[in-house]
Amino acid sequence: MGQFKPQKNVYAVIDLGSNSFHMLIAKSIAGGLQTIGRVKRKVRLAAGLDKDNVLSTEAMQRGWECLALFAERLQDIPKQNITIVATATLRLATNADVFKAQAEKILGHTINVISGELEARTIYKGVAHTSSCTGKQLVIDIGGASTEVVIGKGFEALHYKSLNMGCVTYLERYFKDCQLSEANFNAAIKAAHEVIDEIAPEYKQAGWQIASGASGTVQAIQEIMVAQHLDELLTLEKLNKIKEQSITFSTIAALDLPGLSEERRLVFVSGLAILIALFESLEIEKMGLAGGALREGVLYSMVPELHNNDIRKRTVDGFMDRYHVDQKQANRVSSLVIQLAEQVGESWPLVSENALPLLKAAAQLHEIGLLIEYKQYHKHTAYIIENTDMPGFSQSEHKVIAAVANAHRSDIQKGSFDVLGAHSTLTQYLVRLLRIAVILSMRRQDDVLPKIELSVEKDTLDLKFANNWLKEHPLMASELQQESKLQSKLGWKLIVN
């Protein structure tokens, strides 16, 4: 057998968390990162800490067994492309060096036990690289033995703290014998309040525009809310409702909420109690799910060409590259549709709803499905967008872009926007504009377009062309007339002059 050749553009990050050990493997291609492997094992290392912070042999054994599995996969990756970090439990354990020595022997690599502050800053970096927030962002990550709370702007963490509370340690402490009751919940929430209240004044004074949760707890709550047909933003009211639903089960073993996965169940209630305290103490109004966290932060630090550029642009360029999009046409349609959007911007809330970047992305990506076939290419486009990670766009923005791409040509089903909830009307505005821009760019030439005026009166769009331009372009005129009929079927009015 030949010798393995490590692949230079493959990177691995291992994160020895207090609840789970994770391995993330990614390949750097087309100016972005593509995940090619994820392995996660519940080790619950923090459950092995006694009151004097001595880590039990059983917990260490569980950790070593997991790392023996990871070690096999690391053989094919260049040593300099591998980073291994350990967090709260190994910061706390008085005998951490015993665990570390054996673990390093198994992996053939050094393990960095990182400080709480560095962990918080790195988590923020992972979120900043996978989401797009223009102002200040509050990021919260509830781990097994510590919770990181960060406010940052752009790629820089401004306020960062690692708090001594986590879903594994609180499970052992406040939900003894896995009993569920109002009293247990309230004891956990009260204890968390005492920890958070020390940092609350500084954080509330600093302020933020958007809050994101980067932990399994937030993801689990979101999955429960989706199963109950609620939108994906967390609010204190929704958290308290889920707490009430949880208390109706007397033990964690019996806990059975729609949407709650088996592997999250054990540490779900302790994580929920910590999150409720965070919402109350910091007065958080609503929170979404972050795209990345600690592992992604470490990964982006390792790949030099990904430092601090425009994430949304990187995402869209990666798509266009991968699906061999005609860049000139994509830019032609996107600059035309933005011009149209600016003309109706007084009447439609496209700017205030931050919709222009979504419209631009949908316009640049509308033809990626052509790589599959022409007839249904808009559906292929939507399918590809829907099922591909889009760093820089939130979950709801991602859905809007896919919906706009899906409806940018041919027939539209009346109820197809209902699933977008609060974003339904906005998405319909974007679809109407993109459909017009695609028709007007059908010749795929820059110099064939006249001066166009688009105005809107309530929901009626009025499209005016200079001189006799429509007479001289009968195909375009006929396409626009057909479009007017299609839009009127949905109760949208389009007048072409």
Side-chain angles (χ1 to χ4, degrees):
M1 276 181 69
Q3 186 59 40
F4 277 125
K5 271 213 165 52
Q7 298 160 286
K8 282 195 175 55
N9 63 337
V10 176
Y11 296 81
V13 177
I14 291 179
D15 154 22
L16 311 183
S18 304
N19 189 31
S20 310
F21 283 8
H22 295 257
M23 176 163 64
L24 170 63
I25 297 164
K27 199 176 192 171
S28 111
I29 50 167
L33 282 172
Q34 184 183 60
T35 300
I36 55 172
R38 270 186 197 275
V39 187
K40 173 185 173 187
R41 289 289 183 271
K42 278 265 181 285
V43 174
R44 296 189 52 247
L45 202 61
L49 283 174
D50 67 14
K51 61 181 190 319
D52 302 316
N53 285 337
V54 176
L55 195 54
S56 72
T57 315
E58 295 82 51
M60 290 202 226
Q61 200 58 50
R62 290 197 299 272
W64 292 330
E65 280 166 18
C66 171
L67 295 180
L69 304 178
F70 289 1
E72 180 188 344
R73 186 70 183 82
L74 292 182
Q75 298 171 47
D76 322 328
I77 297 168
K79 261 192 164 14
Q80 69 276 17
N81 290 8
I82 298 171
T83 301
I84 302 165
V85 294
T87 55
T89 298
L90 292 174
R91 285 199 289 271
L92 290 169
T94 52
N95 54 344
D97 50 346
V98 178
F99 177 80
K100 206 170 152 246
Q102 180 61 16
E104 289 180 339
K105 204 185 265 175
I106 294 167
L107 292 167
H109 275 274
T110 44
I111 293 171
N112 311 312
V113 179
I114 59 175
S115 71
E117 269 65 32
L118 178 58
E119 182 180 359
R121 292 205 311 269
T122 310
I123 287 166
Y124 178 76
K125 185 181 257 182
V127 173
H129 269 285
T130 49
S131 67
S132 180
C133 169
T134 41
K136 278 193 196 164
Q137 181 163 210
L138 169 74
V139 173
I140 280 170
D141 188 338
I142 301 169
S146 69
T147 293
E148 281 64 45
V149 186
V150 193
I151 294 175
K153 189 172 181 184
F155 291 94
E156 192 193 350
L158 306 169
H159 303 262
Y160 40 90
K161 286 278 189 299
S162 181
L163 305 175
N164 193 2
M165 56 183 188
C167 57
V168 176
T169 49
Y170 270 41
L171 171 71
E172 310 285 319
R173 218 171 287 166
Y174 301 103
F175 296 90
K176 285 271 188 297
D177 305 324
C178 293
Q179 295 300 306
L180 279 184
S181 68
E182 181 92 44
N184 285 357
F185 248 110
N186 291 344
I189 293 169
K190 183 171 178 280
H193 265 296
E194 284 166 13
V195 178
I196 305 156
D197 286 348
E198 288 182 20
I199 66 157
E202 175 197 337
Y203 276 67
K204 283 194 292 196
Q205 195 189 343
W208 58 84
Q209 272 79 43
I210 181 172
S212 303
S215 62
T217 297
V218 174
Q219 192 177 349
I221 291 166
Q222 224 180 45
E223 284 161 6
I224 290 168
M225 293 187 329
V226 168
Q228 299 184 7
H229 307 292
L230 300 166
D231 70 42
E232 74 269 11
L233 283 175
L234 278 66
T235 62
L236 185 57
E237 191 189 344
K238 289 178 189 164
L239 298 183
N240 278 320
K241 214 171 185 171
I242 293 172
K243 171 190 151 184
E244 295 310 321
Q245 290 170 5
S246 303
I247 292 169
T248 60
F249 301 93
S250 53
T251 65
I252 292 177
L255 183 63
D256 186 18
L257 297 173
L260 178 63
S261 70
E262 180 54 44
E263 62 154 352
R264 279 298 325 163
R265 189 175 64 190
L266 189 56
V267 293
F268 176 70
V269 289
S270 44
L272 176 60
I274 291 171
L275 194 57
I276 287 173
L278 284 160
F279 263 74
E280 290 174 347
S281 276
L282 299 177
E283 294 169 16
I284 300 168
E285 282 171 28
K286 48 184 195 272
M287 176 183 282
L289 178 66
L294 179 65
R295 292 174 290 289
E296 288 75 12
V298 174
L299 193 56
Y300 280 96
S301 308
M302 285 159 72
V303 187
E305 61 267 28
L306 296 183
H307 290 183
N308 294 16
N309 59 11
D310 179 339
I311 302 161
R312 285 181 164 179
K313 186 178 181 316
R314 192 170 74 204
T315 294
V316 171
D317 290 351
F319 267 107
M320 288 166 78
D321 214 24
R322 208 174 313 154
Y323 294 100
H324 306 288
V325 167
D326 176 343
Q327 306 248 358
K328 279 193 177 139
Q329 178 68 355
N331 293 332
R332 187 176 296 120
V333 174
S334 90
S335 66
L336 176 58
V337 81
I338 295 299
Q339 272 173 44
L340 297 176
E342 283 164 351
Q343 291 185 30
V344 297
E346 294 287 299
S347 314
W348 285 356
L350 305 179
V351 175
S352 61
E353 297 273 338
N354 295 323
L356 293 188
L358 310 187
L359 181 56
K360 189 178 176 187
Q364 288 181 301
L365 301 179
H366 77 281
E367 288 193 336
I368 57 180
L370 279 176
L371 197 63
I372 299 171
E373 59 95 48
Y374 177 76
K375 194 175 173 193
Q376 300 281 343
Y377 84 79
H378 52 295
K379 291 188 176 169
H380 304 315
T381 296
Y383 178 83
I384 291 167
I385 289 174
E386 227 164 82
N387 293 286
T388 309
D389 278 340
M390 288 190 78
F393 297 94
S394 70
Q395 243 176 340
S396 49
E397 290 170 338
H398 190 163
K399 282 181 186 150
V400 168
I401 295 169
V404 174
N406 192 32
H408 85 266
R409 67 188 281 261
S410 66
D411 281 355
I412 306 173
Q413 302 311 308
K414 186 107 178 105
S416 60
F417 303 103
D418 297 350
V419 293
L420 296 164
H423 308 294
S424 161
T425 309
L426 184 70
T427 306
Q428 291 174 50
Y429 291 154
L430 302 184
V431 165
R432 294 178 70 182
L433 296 173
L434 184 57
R435 288 176 72 92
I436 294 168
V438 168
I439 292 170
L440 293 176
S441 311
M442 64 188 280
R443 298 243 326 248
R444 307 179 89 85
Q445 296 289 336
D446 285 332
D447 51 1
V448 292
L449 275 183
K451 192 169 174 309
I452 304 161
E453 272 182 41
L454 182 67
S455 57
V456 64
E457 180 70 44
K458 290 198 176 125
D459 273 357
T460 301
L461 284 174
D462 194 341
L463 190 59
K464 287 191 176 68
F465 291 89
N467 310 331
N468 287 329
W469 192 85
L470 279 179
K471 274 204 179 86
E472 290 155 18
H473 295 83
L475 174 62
M476 194 84 84
S478 122
E479 289 286 321
L480 287 168
Q481 289 307 333
Q482 222 172 322
E483 178 59 21
S484 177
K485 283 186 192 133
L486 272 173
Q487 294 211 14
S488 69
K489 273 189 195 168
L490 294 172
W492 301 341
K493 224 170 162 199
L494 169 65
I495 301 166
V496 182
N497 291 311

